């Protein structure tokens, strides 16, 4: 039975992550111990390193990493329906008031983590562990915005603003759902990527789709002006889903809300069911999340790459 985990520990804002070895604590009731296979790197961890407001959400000292897949090593008291050796992904959202891995307890930037059994999702044999890890946050958040909040399904005309990590997954989810996808991004490389992935129409600005009568627009950029332009562009009675938080305060035209009866809704995170749906899309060959694999030793360097915008795909650590 494993007695220690080795991983990158966070102790406070503006303090570097340190590679530590920690003794494992006994499992609480309902929890399982998991050998980490892969863990996605997330920009929220970059925020934790520099923004003190994140300290309210992290129980320090804590090994970071909340996008986790692996296999069950040990069952805690009163765990039913699971067995040692099963491949699983972990929903990173809080459970019963307790924060998830990488926030409330040691997470995936290490060799071993834990989770309540009700927050686990089975990973099919034909889905790789790196895809499963990426599904837990990038997949969940994008799917929740596009499908759950946006209502995107086969035939929906959906606009996607911004083709960063989440926006790319959101676009691919919509394409996997057989929606008609319109992508707005200023970067030429991103425009090329959108066309290669199967977007129906690509432009530098969402306003270029004004005459296309889009049913819904999902704003992954959140730059203020992007949301305003989405409200002006979506068809009357349509919906704009805001995901990006680049500019938290902005002005919109009340006429778009009232006279055109446009809906504006926010979307954050998602659910275990969203992750299961994303993994099912991957299993069916309708979605593949772009990932770049890096070793456990390169987590610090990987977070710096995220901060500088030098990661084209989702960085995923392997142990």
């Amino acid at each position: 039975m494993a007695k220690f985990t080795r991983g990158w520990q966070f102790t406070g804002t503006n303090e570097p992550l340190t590679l530590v070895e920690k003794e494992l604590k006994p499992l609480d009731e309902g929890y399982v111990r998991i050998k980490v296979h892969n863990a996605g790197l997330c920009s929220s961890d970059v925020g934790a390193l520099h923004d003190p407001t994140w300290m309210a959400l992290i129980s320090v000292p804590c090994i970071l990493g909340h996008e986790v897949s692996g296999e069950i090593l040990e069952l805690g008291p009163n765990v039913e329906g699971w067995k040692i050796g099963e491949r699983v992904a972990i929903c990173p959202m809080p459970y019963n008031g307790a924060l998830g891995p990488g926030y409330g307890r040691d997470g995936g930037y290490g060799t071993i983590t834990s989770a309540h059994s009700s927050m686990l999702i089975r990973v099919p044999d034909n889905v790789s562990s790196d895809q499963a890890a990426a599904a837990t946050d990038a997949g969940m958040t994008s799917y929740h915005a596009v499908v759950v909040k946006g209502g995107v399904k086969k035939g929906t005309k959906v606009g996607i603003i911004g083709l960063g990590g989440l926006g790319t997954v959101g676009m691919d989810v919509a394409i996997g759902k057989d929606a008609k996808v319109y992508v707005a991004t200023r970067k030429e490389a991103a425009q090329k990527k959108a066309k290669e992935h199967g977007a129906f129409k690509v432009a530098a600005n969402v306003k270029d789709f004004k005459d296309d009568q889009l049913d819904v627009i999902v704003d992954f950029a959140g730059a203020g002006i992007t949301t305003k332009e989405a409200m002006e562009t979506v068809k009357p009675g349509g919906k704009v889903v805001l995901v990006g938080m680049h500019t938290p305060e902005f002005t919109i035209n009340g006429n778009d809300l009232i006279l055109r009866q446009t809906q504006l809704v926010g979307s954050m995170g998602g659910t275990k069911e969203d992750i299961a749906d994303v993994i099912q899309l991957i299993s069916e060959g309708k979605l593949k999340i772009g990932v770049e694999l890096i070793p456990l030793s390169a987590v610090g360097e990987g977070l710096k790459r995220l901060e500088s915008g030098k990661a084209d795909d989702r960085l995923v650590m392997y142990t």
Side-chain angles (χ1 to χ4, degrees), residues 2-278:
K3 295 183 178 180
F4 296 90
T5 183
R6 177 173 166 271
W8 291 97
Q9 181 168 268
F10 172 75
T11 54
T13 306
N14 296 319
E15 297 178 14
L17 297 182
T18 53
L19 189 60
V20 300
E21 187 173 80
K22 300 174 71 173
E23 186 174 0
L24 297 172
K25 299 177 181 179
L27 289 169
D28 291 333
E29 183 172 338
Y31 278 76
V32 302
R33 187 116 46 215
I34 296 165
K35 174 180 172 59
V36 176
H37 288 167
N38 294 97
L41 275 63
C42 184
S43 57
S44 64
D45 291 331
V46 175
L49 290 171
H50 302 292
D51 183 352
T53 59
W54 283 94
M55 292 298 293
L57 296 176
I58 303 177
S59 301
V60 294
C62 180
I63 293 174
L64 296 181
H66 55 271
E67 305 181 15
V68 188
S69 67
E71 68 176 272
I72 297 176
L73 282 179
E74 181 184 351
L75 305 177
N78 297 321
V79 172
E80 297 180 353
W82 298 95
K83 60 185 179 181
I84 293 172
E86 282 193 279
R87 296 174 63 236
V88 295
I90 304 174
C91 178
M93 303 301 285
Y95 167 76
N96 199 24
L99 295 172
Y103 291 108
R105 59 184 181 278
D106 290 332
Y109 296 165
T111 54
I112 295 175
T113 186
S114 61
H116 194 276
S117 58
S118 66
M119 302 302 279
L120 300 179
I121 303 97
R122 284 185 172 85
V123 178
D125 291 340
N126 67 340
V127 174
S128 65
S129 290
D130 57 278
Q131 287 288 299
T136 63
D137 192 354
M140 172 188 71
T141 302
S142 302
Y143 182 94
H144 192 76
V146 171
V147 178
V148 178
K149 289 298 185 79
V152 171
K153 56 187 178 181
K154 183 176 181 179
T156 302
K157 298 171 77 171
V158 54
I160 302 290
I161 301 178
L163 220 59
L166 293 181
T168 299
V169 178
M171 171 187 70
D172 289 341
V173 164
I175 291 171
K177 287 287 186 180
D178 293 323
K180 205 169 187 178
V181 182
Y182 299 70
V183 174
T185 175
R186 291 178 296 178
K187 297 180 180 179
E188 289 186 8
Q191 292 178 3
K192 181 181 178 183
K193 179 195 289 188
K195 293 174 183 176
E196 291 173 347
H197 283 222
F200 176 74
K201 197 170 181 180
V202 180
N205 191 294
V206 73
K207 291 193 298 184
D208 292 337
F209 306 137
K210 179 70 174 178
D211 296 331
D212 290 289
Q213 294 289 292
L214 302 186
D215 300 301
V216 58
I217 298 174
V218 185
D219 183 4
F220 286 98
I225 184 63
T226 55
T227 310
K228 181 177 183 293
E229 291 173 345
M231 294 286 290
E232 296 169 351
T233 301
V234 73
K235 74 177 187 180
K239 182 186 293 185
V240 173
V241 181
L242 177 57
V243 186
M245 299 176 65
H246 186 272
T247 304
E249 295 185 10
F250 55 92
T251 301
I252 60 174
N253 189 332
N255 287 339
D256 292 320
L257 284 173
I258 301 167
L259 301 183
R260 300 181 68 245
Q261 299 187 66
T262 302
Q263 300 178 61
L264 174 62
V265 300
S267 183
M268 182 184 74
T271 66
K272 170 185 170 180
E273 290 73 25
D274 294 333
I275 299 172
D277 286 348
V278 171

